[in-house]
Amino acid sequence: MKGRIKLSGMAVCLLIFILAAGSGYIVWSEQTGTEADGNGLAENPGAAKESDQLSVLYADIYERLTEREEPQSGELIEQIVKELGAQGITAVDGDNQTNMVNAGKADAGSQEESSLWMLPQAENCLLAEEEKKEIKELALKAGEQVKELYRDVEIMEGPSYGSNIREFTEDQRKEAAALLGSAGFTSVTKDRNMENSQSLEAFYKAYLDQEDAQATVVQVNQDGLLGVITFVHRSGKLQTYYVGVRWQEGGIPVIRDTSVSDVSEINLTEKGYFIYAYRVVVAHAALRQYWRVSPLPDQSRELAAKYIDGLSYVNYNLLIRNWDAGNVEEILTAGLFEDLYRMDTGENFRAEQGRIPAEVFERILTTYLPVKTEQLRESYRYEEESGSYLYERISPKAHPPFGEVVEYAENGDGTLTLIVDGVWPDYNSDCAFTNQIVVQPFADGTFRYLSNKIWQKELEIPRGIVTAAE
């Protein structure tokens, strides 16, 4: 090995929220089209009474939209939301990627409460009214620190739950987090180290010492909204007080909404993940929320972004079997092609009449795996007459673990050895298992996975899919 470097240091489940009677809701999983009740909302029996009628309507729409061909999940969810809206139902997808239809029904309440109608609220807030007022003022102060970044953004017409900013770039988002950090706020955003994390670390220490404490974190969301989340610990009870900040033309910050939620547990892991769980979990939502508090080296993020992000620990076997060229058939299962295709092209694959052209399928898999065309045709359902493979859809599992590169080595033969920890926040683990992955980079920017080894650490390794080769 030339050198060994130590680095200290996500399949999508789309949901539809449907506003039923009063303030309740029903939630559907997009992948299966099955119904799941709004967990923890028994106080609204009207929602349950309407669930049967809504499930029949949903199933009818789902079957009609998918009977000819399978649209991509984002397109499918948008079509379903629109069709439900045409029936007079207030609906929005769980990831807020589709504008809410019939939003006026959801906005019947106060301005600050309406856009979080789908979230369970705590009965009693640990904060006094004056304290809540101070946090709102702090949230607006945070907005003032970054308003120059928003001065020229275009605000579109849209529902109250989103920013409605036409385009908010990754650079703007990261710069906003940096400016907030420079102003003394504890700030965080995707793919960037948390600023001023010591306040959250001090809060966790006080919690362990059974002392009253609070800490505020400003999160810059991908659409430009600011989520100002204050953790409160008093008399043994935990809560979050959330203030959402959205934007008016000219970069003027305004309070969008507030909410109070009971927290059942918090944990600061050895590697520096702050993981917390709400007492009431919305159906199909993640069991736990998390931020990385300890900094992660840029090199770790870059290696993970290129080689690990987009792979799944639970939908196929690539990361959960010990394999190399000698037994590569054990990882040739449905679902793998789609993720490798997305990594290669940056786009989701669209099947035509349920088939994948052989030249596309074989190019992707022989590029990224040490496999030959003959092996692919034996392992997958190849049709010689049409020169294509059957497109075998899978239902991706929600909230899987993700890989984090913690060490890497540049080998003498030009390959890379990556040491990857599987982080699984839903199960409170920052090192569920550890992988050793050997990768061969190519001059054109593509690469090939040559082998994988995995060791169980804090959690059991997912079982994976049994193949004919096994």
Side-chain angles (χ1 to χ4, degrees):
M1 293 187 178
K2 290 183 180 178
R4 187 175 180 85
I5 303 166
K6 176 89 171 176
L7 298 172
S8 59
M10 346 165 140
V12 178
C13 178
L14 293 174
L15 309 176
I16 295 177
F17 291 95
I18 297 176
L19 186 62
S23 61
Y25 61 87
I26 297 166
V27 184
W28 271 279
S29 166
E30 179 270 326
Q31 285 107 353
T32 62
T34 57
E35 178 189 322
D37 60 55
N39 185 24
L41 290 183
E43 68 272 20
N44 187 6
K49 288 180 180 179
E50 295 184 16
S51 65
D52 288 342
Q53 295 175 344
L54 288 170
S55 62
V56 171
L57 175 60
Y58 177 91
D60 178 67
I61 294 171
Y62 186 93
E63 290 177 8
R64 178 161 44 79
L65 292 175
T66 58
E67 63 183 355
R68 293 186 178 179
E69 64 176 279
E70 293 287 355
Q72 294 303 309
S73 58
E75 296 172 351
L76 177 60
I77 209 78
E78 182 177 359
Q79 293 178 50
I80 292 175
V81 168
K82 288 180 178 178
E83 295 246 356
L84 288 167
Q87 300 294 324
I89 297 168
T90 301
V92 63
D93 75 278
D95 284 342
N96 284 352
Q97 298 302 309
T98 302
N99 283 344
M100 180 184 286
V101 292
N102 298 324
K105 294 183 180 180
D107 287 338
S110 70
Q111 175 68 27
E112 289 185 1
E113 295 172 352
S114 60
S115 60
L116 291 179
W117 56 267
M118 75 286 288
L119 299 180
Q121 303 286 301
E123 291 185 4
N124 299 301
C125 183
L126 297 176
L127 296 169
E129 289 301 320
E130 185 61 29
E131 292 175 302
K132 290 190 283 187
K133 180 181 177 182
E134 291 175 358
I135 293 173
K136 290 179 185 179
E137 292 173 351
L138 183 68
L140 290 175
K141 182 179 178 182
E144 290 292 326
Q145 296 296 323
V146 296
K147 66 180 183 181
E148 288 301 318
L149 292 174
Y150 294 83
R151 184 176 298 280
D152 298 323
V153 299
E154 181 180 354
I155 308 296
M156 303 178 296
E157 292 292 329
S160 59
Y161 66 86
S163 73
N164 300 320
I165 295 174
R166 179 174 293 278
E167 182 180 7
F168 192 72
T169 67
E170 179 182 357
D171 289 342
Q172 286 175 306
R173 175 172 56 81
K174 291 182 177 180
E175 186 177 353
L179 288 171
L180 288 165
S182 298
F185 290 91
T186 300
S187 63
V188 67
T189 195
K190 182 181 178 182
D191 295 330
R192 193 179 189 282
N193 288 333
M194 178 178 282
E195 299 271 0
N196 303 317
S197 61
Q198 59 270 20
S199 65
L200 203 55
E201 294 169 326
F203 172 80
Y204 184 71
K205 183 179 184 304
Y207 162 76
L208 293 180
D209 293 338
Q210 300 182 355
E211 298 174 357
D212 291 354
Q214 69 184 59
T216 298
V217 179
V218 183
Q219 178 169 282
V220 185
N221 296 338
Q222 288 183 270
D223 67 351
L225 286 173
L226 300 185
V228 182
I229 307 170
T230 299
F231 289 84
V232 184
H233 179 244
R234 289 184 182 173
S235 303
K237 296 180 179 180
L238 281 167
Q239 279 185 346
T240 59
Y241 181 66
Y242 173 89
V243 179
V245 176
R246 66 182 303 179
W247 301 91
Q248 294 180 346
E249 293 286 356
I252 300 173
V254 293
I255 300 296
R256 183 195 69 165
D257 44 37
T258 64
S259 67
V260 182
S261 300
D262 289 324
V263 175
S264 60
E265 63 179 55
I266 59 174
N267 180 31
L268 184 60
T269 69
E270 183 178 348
K271 286 171 56 179
Y273 277 89
F274 183 81
I275 303 175
Y276 61 101
Y278 289 114
R279 188 169 300 280
V280 177
V281 179
V282 175
H284 294 288
L287 299 177
R288 292 177 173 85
Q289 314 299 316
Y290 68 93
W291 292 306
R292 202 182 208 288
V293 173
S294 298
L296 191 65
D298 290 341
Q299 186 68 19
S300 175
R301 295 187 188 278
E302 292 168 6
L303 290 169
K306 184 171 180 63
Y307 299 112
I308 305 301
D309 293 354
L311 296 178
S312 174
Y313 278 93
V314 295
N315 293 330
Y316 40 78
N317 297 341
L318 183 129
L319 293 176
I320 56 175
R321 291 283 192 274
N322 294 324
W323 65 269
D324 56 23
N327 65 331
V328 68
E329 291 91 349
E330 294 181 14
I331 67 169
L332 300 180
T333 64
L336 178 58
F337 165 77
E338 291 97 312
D339 283 354
L340 293 178
Y341 179 90
R342 189 181 303 109
M343 293 173 74
D344 181 81
T345 66
E347 299 176 353
N348 292 324
F349 178 75
R350 293 181 62 89
E352 296 183 5
Q353 299 181 340
R355 311 294 302 182
I356 308 172
E359 60 269 24
V360 176
F361 190 84
E362 292 166 1
R363 179 186 70 81
I364 292 293
L365 291 181
T366 58
T367 296
Y368 290 93
L369 297 174
V371 65
K372 299 182 183 301
T373 299
E374 293 75 16
Q375 293 171 292
L376 295 177
R377 295 186 178 186
E378 290 177 3
S379 299
Y380 291 98
R381 298 171 71 176
Y382 174 71
E383 183 181 84
E384 187 172 358
E385 181 180 355
S386 64
S388 66
Y389 290 81
L390 178 68
Y391 177 46
E392 301 177 78
R393 273 185 99 238
I394 65 170
S395 294
K397 298 177 176 64
H399 317 300
F402 61 89
E404 180 176 82
V405 177
V406 294
E407 292 183 57
Y408 74 96
E410 298 175 345
N411 304 317
D413 59 1
T415 62
L416 291 173
T417 297
L418 307 178
I419 306 300
V420 179
D421 285 346
V423 181
W424 207 338
D426 253 22
Y427 296 96
N428 224 352
S429 174
D430 65 6
C431 187
F433 15 80
T434 295
N435 294 74
Q436 178 181 287
I437 303 169
V438 179
V439 179
Q440 179 182 5
F442 297 128
D444 63 359
T446 61
F447 55 88
R448 179 172 295 151
Y449 298 106
L450 297 180
S451 66
N452 175 69
K453 294 181 181 178
I454 186 168
W455 294 271
Q456 180 174 311
K457 293 298 181 69
E458 296 176 349
L459 297 174
E460 292 185 2
I461 298 171
R463 293 181 180 179
I465 301 171
V466 177
T467 66
E470 297 176 277

PDB file of all heavy atoms in Angstrom, residues 140-151:
ATOM      1  N   LEU A 140     -35.706  34.931  14.020  1.00  0.00           N
ATOM      2  CA  LEU A 140     -35.694  36.042  13.069  1.00  0.00           C
ATOM      3  C   LEU A 140     -34.317  36.689  12.991  1.00  0.00           C
ATOM      4  O   LEU A 140     -33.894  37.143  11.919  1.00  0.00           O
ATOM      5  CB  LEU A 140     -36.753  37.076  13.465  1.00  0.00           C
ATOM      6  CG  LEU A 140     -38.210  36.626  13.273  1.00  0.00           C
ATOM      7  CD1 LEU A 140     -39.153  37.684  13.810  1.00  0.00           C
ATOM      8  CD2 LEU A 140     -38.504  36.334  11.809  1.00  0.00           C
ATOM      9  N   LYS A 141     -33.618  36.707  14.119  1.00  0.00           N
ATOM     10  CA  LYS A 141     -32.249  37.231  14.125  1.00  0.00           C
ATOM     11  C   LYS A 141     -31.350  36.350  13.250  1.00  0.00           C
ATOM     12  O   LYS A 141     -30.488  36.863  12.513  1.00  0.00           O
ATOM     13  CB  LYS A 141     -31.710  37.281  15.554  1.00  0.00           C
ATOM     14  CG  LYS A 141     -30.307  37.866  15.658  1.00  0.00           C
ATOM     15  CD  LYS A 141     -29.834  37.902  17.111  1.00  0.00           C
ATOM     16  CE  LYS A 141     -28.408  38.435  17.203  1.00  0.00           C
ATOM     17  NZ  LYS A 141     -27.915  38.421  18.611  1.00  0.00           N
ATOM     18  N   ALA A 142     -31.558  35.051  13.327  1.00  0.00           N
ATOM     19  CA  ALA A 142     -30.803  34.140  12.453  1.00  0.00           C
ATOM     20  C   ALA A 142     -31.094  34.449  10.991  1.00  0.00           C
ATOM     21  O   ALA A 142     -30.195  34.473  10.145  1.00  0.00           O
ATOM     22  CB  ALA A 142     -31.155  32.687  12.781  1.00  0.00           C
ATOM     23  N   GLY A 143     -32.355  34.703  10.684  1.00  0.00           N
ATOM     24  CA  GLY A 143     -32.721  35.066   9.326  1.00  0.00           C
ATOM     25  C   GLY A 143     -32.032  36.340   8.864  1.00  0.00           C
ATOM     26  O   GLY A 143     -31.594  36.441   7.708  1.00  0.00           O
ATOM     27  N   GLU A 144     -31.914  37.301   9.756  1.00  0.00           N
ATOM     28  CA  GLU A 144     -31.257  38.565   9.410  1.00  0.00           C
ATOM     29  C   GLU A 144     -29.795  38.350   9.049  1.00  0.00           C
ATOM     30  O   GLU A 144     -29.239  39.066   8.215  1.00  0.00           O
ATOM     31  CB  GLU A 144     -31.364  39.546  10.583  1.00  0.00           C
ATOM     32  CG  GLU A 144     -32.761  40.093  10.837  1.00  0.00           C
ATOM     33  CD  GLU A 144     -33.232  41.012   9.719  1.00  0.00           C
ATOM     34  OE1 GLU A 144     -32.383  41.721   9.133  1.00  0.00           O
ATOM     35  OE2 GLU A 144     -34.432  40.997   9.406  1.00  0.00           O
ATOM     36  N   GLN A 145     -29.169  37.353   9.660  1.00  0.00           N
ATOM     37  CA  GLN A 145     -27.751  37.096   9.396  1.00  0.00           C
ATOM     38  C   GLN A 145     -27.491  36.605   7.976  1.00  0.00           C
ATOM     39  O   GLN A 145     -26.383  36.748   7.459  1.00  0.00           O
ATOM     40  CB  GLN A 145     -27.213  36.068  10.399  1.00  0.00           C
ATOM     41  CG  GLN A 145     -27.219  36.530  11.838  1.00  0.00           C
ATOM     42  CD  GLN A 145     -26.303  37.717  12.059  1.00  0.00           C
ATOM     43  OE1 GLN A 145     -25.221  37.808  11.472  1.00  0.00           O
ATOM     44  NE2 GLN A 145     -26.729  38.649  12.915  1.00  0.00           N
ATOM     45  N   VAL A 146     -28.508  36.020   7.357  1.00  0.00           N
ATOM     46  CA  VAL A 146     -28.292  35.422   6.033  1.00  0.00           C
ATOM     47  C   VAL A 146     -29.187  36.046   4.966  1.00  0.00           C
ATOM     48  O   VAL A 146     -29.242  35.551   3.832  1.00  0.00           O
ATOM     49  CB  VAL A 146     -28.538  33.890   6.082  1.00  0.00           C
ATOM     50  CG1 VAL A 146     -27.526  33.228   7.000  1.00  0.00           C
ATOM     51  CG2 VAL A 146     -29.951  33.572   6.537  1.00  0.00           C
ATOM     52  N   LYS A 147     -29.877  37.132   5.278  1.00  0.00           N
ATOM     53  CA  LYS A 147     -30.886  37.662   4.356  1.00  0.00           C
ATOM     54  C   LYS A 147     -30.301  38.112   3.023  1.00  0.00           C
ATOM     55  O   LYS A 147     -30.997  38.116   2.002  1.00  0.00           O
ATOM     56  CB  LYS A 147     -31.657  38.807   5.013  1.00  0.00           C
ATOM     57  CG  LYS A 147     -30.833  40.053   5.306  1.00  0.00           C
ATOM     58  CD  LYS A 147     -31.702  41.122   5.954  1.00  0.00           C
ATOM     59  CE  LYS A 147     -30.917  42.409   6.202  1.00  0.00           C
ATOM     60  NZ  LYS A 147     -31.781  43.435   6.851  1.00  0.00           N
ATOM     61  N   GLU A 148     -29.009  38.501   3.002  1.00  0.00           N
ATOM     62  CA  GLU A 148     -28.412  38.925   1.730  1.00  0.00           C
ATOM     63  C   GLU A 148     -28.398  37.781   0.717  1.00  0.00           C
ATOM     64  O   GLU A 148     -28.481  38.015  -0.494  1.00  0.00           O
ATOM     65  CB  GLU A 148     -26.989  39.441   1.963  1.00  0.00           C
ATOM     66  CG  GLU A 148     -26.935  40.797   2.654  1.00  0.00           C
ATOM     67  CD  GLU A 148     -27.674  41.883   1.875  1.00  0.00           C
ATOM     68  OE1 GLU A 148     -27.535  41.910   0.636  1.00  0.00           O
ATOM     69  OE2 GLU A 148     -28.388  42.686   2.495  1.00  0.00           O
ATOM     70  N   LEU A 149     -28.299  36.532   1.205  1.00  0.00           N
ATOM     71  CA  LEU A 149     -28.322  35.382   0.307  1.00  0.00           C
ATOM     72  C   LEU A 149     -29.697  35.187  -0.326  1.00  0.00           C
ATOM     73  O   LEU A 149     -29.829  34.547  -1.371  1.00  0.00           O
ATOM     74  CB  LEU A 149     -27.927  34.111   1.056  1.00  0.00           C
ATOM     75  CG  LEU A 149     -26.473  34.009   1.535  1.00  0.00           C
ATOM     76  CD1 LEU A 149     -26.290  32.767   2.388  1.00  0.00           C
ATOM     77  CD2 LEU A 149     -25.527  33.968   0.341  1.00  0.00           C
ATOM     78  N   TYR A 150     -30.722  35.726   0.322  1.00  0.00           N
ATOM     79  CA  TYR A 150     -32.097  35.538  -0.134  1.00  0.00           C
ATOM     80  C   TYR A 150     -32.672  36.793  -0.803  1.00  0.00           C
ATOM     81  O   TYR A 150     -33.817  36.763  -1.258  1.00  0.00           O
ATOM     82  CB  TYR A 150     -32.993  35.168   1.052  1.00  0.00           C
ATOM     83  CG  TYR A 150     -32.688  33.828   1.681  1.00  0.00           C
ATOM     84  CD1 TYR A 150     -31.673  33.695   2.632  1.00  0.00           C
ATOM     85  CD2 TYR A 150     -33.422  32.692   1.352  1.00  0.00           C
ATOM     86  CE1 TYR A 150     -31.399  32.461   3.227  1.00  0.00           C
ATOM     87  CE2 TYR A 150     -33.153  31.464   1.935  1.00  0.00           C
ATOM     88  CZ  TYR A 150     -32.140  31.352   2.872  1.00  0.00           C
ATOM     89  OH  TYR A 150     -31.876  30.145   3.453  1.00  0.00           O
ATOM     90  N   ARG A 151     -31.892  37.848  -0.848  1.00  0.00           N
ATOM     91  CA  ARG A 151     -32.433  39.127  -1.313  1.00  0.00           C
ATOM     92  C   ARG A 151     -32.988  39.030  -2.738  1.00  0.00           C
ATOM     93  O   ARG A 151     -34.022  39.628  -3.057  1.00  0.00           O
ATOM     94  CB  ARG A 151     -31.352  40.210  -1.242  1.00  0.00           C
ATOM     95  CG  ARG A 151     -31.861  41.603  -1.622  1.00  0.00           C
ATOM     96  CD  ARG A 151     -30.784  42.651  -1.453  1.00  0.00           C
ATOM     97  NE  ARG A 151     -30.347  42.768  -0.074  1.00  0.00           N
ATOM     98  CZ  ARG A 151     -31.023  43.451   0.866  1.00  0.00           C
ATOM     99  NH1 ARG A 151     -32.155  44.053   0.551  1.00  0.00           N
ATOM    100  NH2 ARG A 151     -30.555  43.518   2.088  1.00  0.00           N
TER     101      ARG A 151
END
